Amino acid sequence: MKNCKKRKNNTKRRYHIKISMGIIVAAIAVLIGICGFQRNEAIAAYRIQDPLQPSIASKIMRFHVLANSDSSEDQALKLKVRDAIGELMEPRLADVKDMDETRRIITDSIPDIVAKAEQTLKEQGCEDSVSAKITHTDFPVKTYGSYTFPAGNYEALQVVIGEGKGHNWWCVLYPNMCFRDSVYEIVDEDAKEELQEVLSPEEYEDVFTSGNYEVHSRLLDYFK
């Protein structure tokens, strides 16, 4: 009988320990969730409520390519179209001095852009149609090298492949941060100088500082 009582007592102890551990784990999870939520909210507020975004947006032109779908094939085709348009437009935009000239050259090049994109698709055995236009569209925060452009509405050359329901790709078309490097994510010295000429000192500092903030944030996420 004594052994039976001991077993019952041990069972109760284990039961209470499990409950206590469960409560502790749940409490820790709640705290982590709250801290993570507050941190994400702070980062989101920093990104979205940038008061300089409208003035920055008024001085740059974005490039936006939407894939037909998220299939691996359509995503690969999107990048081929991007590269083809880059090859077409880089020499045409090489010496542009302002947004008006950029807008005029892109507008004049729309038929060539569509033809080049559709030709590229056909060479890959794809018959999807392509549309291209200059439009205003909402962009999320995007980092290019050491520079981060705040989320908001921007003027852009928008190229849509097929139904345009896949993940998209974008960059800064003016000043030229799109076609300088094959990896499309490295900003060379010429592009940095052009960006400095286009933006005010305050706007340039905002884009550069937030870029460093993005890198710092990613490093923190990596080690957590």
Side-chain angles (χ1 to χ4, degrees):
M1 181 66 68
K2 290 181 180 179
N3 291 336
C4 181
K5 286 183 179 179
K6 287 182 179 179
R7 285 197 299 271
K8 288 182 179 179
N9 290 335
N10 289 337
T11 300
K12 287 181 180 179
R13 290 193 192 97
R14 287 195 295 269
Y15 178 74
H16 288 306
I17 289 172
K18 288 182 179 178
I19 291 177
S20 299
M21 289 299 295
I23 292 172
I24 292 171
V25 171
I28 292 172
V30 170
L31 288 173
I32 291 174
I34 291 173
C35 292
F37 176 79
Q38 290 176 338
R39 178 178 176 276
N40 290 335
E41 285 292 298
I43 293 174
Y46 177 88
R47 290 174 171 176
I48 295 172
Q49 298 175 2
D50 189 334
L52 293 177
Q53 189 276 331
S55 60
I56 293 171
S58 69
K59 299 174 181 179
I60 68 171
M61 176 76 72
R62 307 291 288 265
F63 180 28
H64 192 204
V65 184
L66 289 82
N68 177 61
S69 75
D70 279 334
S71 72
S72 57
E73 180 182 5
D74 283 342
Q75 288 296 310
L77 288 172
K78 172 191 71 177
L79 299 181
K80 288 185 179 296
V81 167
R82 173 201 70 180
D83 291 346
I85 294 174
E87 183 181 354
L88 173 71
M89 296 303 297
E90 181 175 15
R92 298 188 185 190
L93 296 172
D95 299 320
V96 294
K97 301 301 181 184
D98 54 44
M99 278 284 286
D100 288 338
E101 186 179 5
T102 300
R103 195 178 293 112
R104 177 185 60 77
I105 291 173
I106 293 174
T107 300
D108 292 344
S109 299
I110 291 295
D112 294 338
I113 290 170
V114 172
K116 186 69 172 179
E118 290 183 341
Q119 176 189 346
T120 301
L121 293 175
K122 288 179 180 178
E123 289 172 354
Q124 302 299 316
C126 176
E127 296 295 328
D128 285 343
S129 61
V130 176
S131 64
K133 63 181 178 181
I134 293 178
T135 186
H136 283 82
T137 188
D138 291 328
F139 286 85
V141 174
K142 178 62 180 175
T143 299
Y144 307 95
S146 301
Y147 300 89
T148 293
F149 290 84
N153 192 270
Y154 292 84
E155 189 172 9
L157 165 61
Q158 186 178 78
V159 177
V160 180
I161 303 171
E163 296 183 2
K165 294 182 177 180
H167 277 85
N168 50 58
W169 178 89
W170 51 83
C171 74
V172 177
L173 194 60
Y174 175 79
N176 186 0
M177 301 174 77
C178 286
F179 312 128
R180 301 284 187 178
D181 193 281
S182 60
V183 297
Y184 290 85
E185 294 295 335
I186 296 176
V187 182
D188 67 14
E189 290 302 320
D190 288 342
K192 292 177 182 178
E193 290 177 5
E194 290 178 11
L195 186 63
Q196 269 187 303
E197 292 176 2
V198 169
L199 301 180
S200 71
E202 184 182 15
E203 292 162 353
Y204 181 85
E205 181 65 22
D206 182 72
V207 170
F208 182 73
T209 302
S210 57
N212 288 335
Y213 178 88
E214 284 287 305
V215 172
H216 181 65
S217 176
R218 289 173 184 171
L219 286 172
L220 287 177
D221 289 341
Y222 177 80
F223 287 109
K224 286 186 176 181

